[in-house]
Amino acid sequence: MGDLEGNREQNANMVSSIFPVIGIKFEETSELQRQLLAAFAFGMVYADGQIKGLPPAEVHGLAISMLQDAFNYSPEQAGEFSSLLIEAASDKSVHSVINAVIHRGIKGHYQWEQKQSSLLKENIEEIFKEVQNG
């Protein structure tokens, strides 16, 4: 078992750092933007868990914590949303948009880790544009 509390704090810091990169404060995001960013952040947490070799149950727990810490979801909301994210991540037919956003978040983790802020910003802004233009 990894350092769950340390991983939780690292994830919260990683995800919180997205907001300055995209130039939008959390409080200024729309509900749709928050949901898209949460799915993106789930991909980042998943990628981090894979790199660290964490078991799926631990990644799920970290995803729930991240939704609470970075997006102010209640424990119940975080549990429900993380279950949807896990289903969508593994089965595109569950929710193709969420699946695509999660996979962009996996790529985003690499961009974040490599300090490629402009590419990370571009990645997220493209998601917002694609979803808004439907």
Side-chain angles (χ1 to χ4, degrees):
M1 193 92 148
D3 174 15
L4 204 54
E5 207 49 46
N7 286 332
R8 179 178 182 166
E9 192 175 322
Q10 284 177 341
N11 284 335
N13 292 335
M14 172 178 66
V15 172
S16 295
S17 74
I18 291 173
F19 295 97
V21 167
I22 62 173
I24 303 173
K25 291 181 180 157
F26 173 79
E27 300 77 27
E28 296 170 356
T29 57
S30 68
E31 182 59 31
L32 176 60
Q33 287 174 323
R34 274 194 295 278
Q35 290 175 359
L36 291 170
L37 286 169
F40 187 90
F42 175 83
M44 293 179 79
V45 169
Y46 174 81
D48 193 61
Q50 291 297 298
I51 290 166
K52 292 177 178 168
L54 301 178
E58 203 166 310
V59 174
H60 189 184
L62 288 168
I64 291 170
S65 298
M66 175 274 297
L67 292 170
Q68 291 175 256
D69 297 343
F71 293 96
N72 299 328
Y73 281 96
S74 71
E76 297 77 22
Q77 290 171 316
E80 288 176 27
F81 194 28
S82 69
S83 293
L84 171 64
L85 292 169
I86 289 167
E87 284 181 52
S90 56
D91 183 356
K92 189 176 184 174
S93 71
V94 170
H95 200 297
S96 61
V97 172
I98 291 176
N99 177 280
V101 173
I102 290 168
H103 285 86
R104 296 283 290 266
I106 292 169
K107 180 180 180 181
H109 179 272
Y110 176 80
Q111 294 167 332
W112 176 83
E113 208 171 51
Q114 299 299 311
K115 301 192 182 342
Q116 298 173 338
S117 296
S118 59
L119 291 175
L120 181 59
K121 179 179 182 175
E122 204 175 286
N123 189 356
I124 294 168
E125 288 177 343
E126 282 176 16
I127 294 167
F128 287 168
K129 281 185 201 137
E130 287 172 22
V131 170
Q132 287 170 343
N133 295 336

